[in-house]
Amino acid sequence: AGKPDSALVTYERYLATPWLFRYEVDAVELGWALKRLGELYEDKGDRSKAAAAFSKLGLLWDRADLHLQGVVADARRRAEFPGPLR
């Protein structure tokens, strides 16, 4: 919707809010939420928060299926050298 600050708040709230059946949602959404959060922080120029999100994604998807390994490699690269390297 073109509101990156609102998106950041929403993603951060999702990551910080526990609930009983969250594992069902996390199985599908957590990795992509971390990826987008990293991108949003990167766009804002917050390199440390971007690196943290990309690092968590790299750890989460460490043993992901082959078709996701490109996303994992990109996340690790961006965690190591945070900034607009896309």
Side-chain angles (χ1 to χ4, degrees):
K3 298 179 181 179
D5 290 334
S6 295
L8 279 169
V9 170
T10 301
Y11 283 118
E12 288 289 359
R13 186 178 304 142
Y14 165 66
L15 294 173
T17 305
W19 66 86
L20 185 58
F21 296 106
R22 179 171 165 168
Y23 66 91
E24 294 173 353
V25 176
D26 280 357
V28 176
E29 302 295 338
L30 182 58
W32 299 114
L34 288 167
K35 180 180 185 297
R36 185 64 184 131
L37 188 64
E39 293 167 348
L40 289 167
Y41 276 126
E42 205 173 59
D43 291 345
K44 284 186 68 89
D46 192 332
R47 293 172 173 235
S48 63
K49 287 185 179 180
F54 287 129
S55 180
K56 287 177 186 175
L57 174 59
L59 289 172
L60 179 68
W61 281 359
D62 183 49
R63 295 174 45 194
D65 291 340
L66 185 58
H67 70 278
L68 292 173
Q69 286 303 315
V71 176
V72 174
D74 182 57
R76 287 187 177 135
R77 180 182 59 80
R78 290 162 93 172
E80 196 171 313
F81 301 104
L85 297 175
R86 290 187 249 175

